[in-house]
Amino acid sequence: MGIEKRRIEETILYEDKDILVCRKPGGLAIQTRRTGMLDMESMLRNYLAAKGEDPYLAVVHRLDQPVQGILVFGKNRKSGARLSEEMQRGEMEKIYLACVQGVPEKKEGILEDQMEKIPGSNLSRIVENKTKNSRKAVLEYKVLKEAADCSLLEIRLRTGRHHQIRVQLAHAGWPILGDTKYNESESGQGEWRNIGLCANRLSFYHPATGKKMEFQVKPDGNFPIV
């Protein structure tokens, strides 16, 4: 428990009686049903219980398991509900860094597609025409840095769809480095390679005080381009 507590404390960016903001490492699930496998939620609940606090934790938003970056949790039902309302109203801003294969011709732009989940799998796809299961997916991108055959993009989500950034960038011809699900050149190379996607900035309004909260992290040393 001591090692786990230290590991959790190292990920925490901010904490008070209403919220907990932390940095999720790549490869760690937020929640899992696999027996004996720790996830972010369980580790944080254990951390709160070890301090003698109510281990209640509201999962407000998510990151895919291989993705690193910032998350905020509500520490009680009221704060969790208010943060979830912010998410629904689009008042919570999430900004990502994505390392992609290829270099977009336009240095900034908007991707807008129809996306749907693939039945019987944990995958999504772009469809050319709207279907009964598809939903609009919109993101903004901006090229921050270029290398020989890859680039670093800043991504702002306008919608929140399953695997949205990964699917839309791959469909546009700029698959994320290390993405074994959607980058064809990376497929078959194992589940937990260092995917080039980081939720590096998060802003929202504190559910109790109304104060604007802003957090930013740098990707860890395993990130392909910084």
Side-chain angles (χ1 to χ4, degrees):
M1 183 62 201
I3 295 174
E4 182 185 319
K5 184 173 184 291
R6 287 198 299 274
R7 183 183 178 189
I8 281 294
E9 288 176 341
E10 289 171 357
T11 72
I12 293 174
L13 304 175
Y14 176 85
E15 182 183 6
D16 61 26
K17 65 182 180 63
D18 296 295
I19 64 172
L20 192 155
V21 182
C22 68
R23 174 181 185 146
K24 186 186 87 66
L28 181 65
I30 294 176
Q31 294 171 316
T32 184
R33 295 179 180 177
R34 295 183 184 179
T35 304
M37 180 178 289
L38 276 177
D39 55 38
M40 198 80 206
E41 182 186 29
S42 299
M43 292 175 70
L44 288 170
R45 286 181 185 274
N46 291 342
Y47 159 77
L48 294 173
K51 295 199 301 173
E53 294 187 21
D54 180 357
Y56 177 87
L57 207 64
V59 178
V60 177
H61 60 122
R62 301 172 185 274
L63 294 174
D64 298 342
Q65 187 165 347
V67 178
Q68 59 175 284
I70 307 173
L71 292 164
V72 58
F73 296 87
K75 289 179 64 177
N76 53 65
R77 285 174 175 79
K78 182 180 287 187
S79 62
R82 288 182 176 174
L83 288 169
S84 294
E85 289 170 3
E86 280 192 50
M87 278 284 295
Q88 294 298 319
R89 294 194 299 263
E91 295 172 355
M92 185 178 291
E93 185 175 45
K94 296 176 287 183
I95 300 175
Y96 296 76
L97 293 177
C99 298
V100 302
Q101 192 174 305
V103 180
E105 287 186 19
K106 294 175 65 177
K107 299 312 174 189
E108 55 185 281
I110 297 173
L111 300 182
E112 183 172 321
D113 299 289
Q114 285 289 325
M115 277 184 62
E116 66 178 15
K117 292 195 71 174
I118 300 175
S121 75
N122 187 36
L123 297 169
S124 291
R125 63 189 172 197
I126 302 295
V127 292
E128 293 303 317
N129 300 302
K130 182 169 177 54
T131 69
K132 65 177 183 179
N133 296 318
S134 70
R135 301 174 71 186
K136 183 189 289 187
V138 185
L139 63 77
E140 301 176 31
Y141 74 87
K142 180 179 181 181
V143 179
L144 299 181
K145 187 181 293 187
E146 299 178 20
D149 56 354
C150 55
S151 51
L152 179 66
L153 309 183
E154 178 184 274
I155 304 293
R156 294 173 183 262
L157 285 177
R158 290 191 181 177
T159 56
R161 309 297 180 221
H162 178 255
H163 292 175
Q164 180 179 336
I165 296 174
R166 300 163 68 181
V167 173
Q168 284 196 281
L169 292 183
H171 182 73
W174 321 312
I176 294 175
L177 298 178
D179 189 348
T180 58
K181 287 185 181 292
Y182 298 105
N183 187 338
E184 292 183 0
S185 65
E186 306 270 3
S187 63
Q189 300 190 39
E191 182 74 8
W192 304 128
R193 298 194 67 200
N194 296 315
I195 187 170
L197 186 59
C198 174
N200 80 307
R201 279 186 276 168
L202 178 69
S203 64
F204 58 91
Y205 293 96
H206 194 285
T209 67
K211 178 183 177 182
K212 188 168 186 180
M213 310 291 288
E214 298 180 286
F215 299 91
Q216 182 170 353
V217 297
K218 291 183 178 180
D220 65 27
N222 294 319
F223 208 64
I225 313 171
V226 178

